[in-house]
Amino acid sequence: QVQLVESGGGLVQPGGSLRLSCAPSGSVFSINAMGWYRQAPGKQRELVARITSAGSTNYADSVLGRFTISRDSAKNTVYLQMNSLKPEDTAVYYCHMNTYGFVGDQYDYWGQGTQVTVSS
């Protein structure tokens, strides 16, 4: 079955950059949208960025101008370029994908999460 595989997390100093990647491990008929959420200890999970199949994007106000979401349609891969990282960006980042099957059924998938730590 389909799983989302994430990579790119790690430890970085304030002001540094990281690039997250996410792709499904199995075949997907149609991807409606993909995005990134994050959850810090003791806080609610929040939307960071998302991109639709048409290319429309949305960003959290806290990351606007610093983060960029993009996609590679041929590889069904979504990326999150994170620049000017701040300690408050520290969280587990989760990839999300919404898809449609052959008969119009809709599915939501979540990655296992990748840790991003911004600290000196």
Side-chain angles (χ1 to χ4, degrees):
Q1 57 184 5
V2 175
Q3 291 184 310
L4 293 179
V5 181
E6 304 178 21
S7 64
L11 174 65
V12 65
Q13 294 184 337
S17 298
L18 285 173
R19 189 191 190 207
L20 306 183
S21 299
C22 174
S25 62
S27 297
V28 178
F29 174 66
S30 180
I31 298 176
N32 183 53
M34 295 186 73
W36 293 92
Y37 292 72
R38 68 185 181 187
Q39 187 168 26
K43 299 181 180 179
Q44 292 185 315
R45 185 175 298 188
E46 65 174 347
L47 173 69
V48 178
R50 70 188 295 270
I51 184 168
T52 70
S53 60
S56 299
T57 59
N58 290 100
Y59 295 92
D61 290 341
S62 60
V63 307
L64 193 64
R66 299 188 297 119
F67 292 9
T68 302
I69 189 169
S70 61
R71 60 182 172 87
D72 183 334
S73 298
K75 299 179 179 180
N76 288 329
T77 301
V78 65
Y79 305 94
L80 185 67
Q81 179 67 46
M82 304 184 292
N83 298 326
S84 302
L85 283 162
K86 306 174 181 179
E88 49 263 45
D89 294 318
T90 296
V92 177
Y93 284 70
Y94 297 90
C95 182
H96 171 258
M97 178 176 70
N98 178 258
T99 69
Y100 284 92
F102 283 100
V103 295
D105 47 327
Q106 188 174 182
Y107 299 94
D108 286 286
Y109 300 90
W110 290 92
Q112 66 178 7
T114 184
Q115 177 70 47
V116 171
T117 302
V118 185
S119 176
S120 59

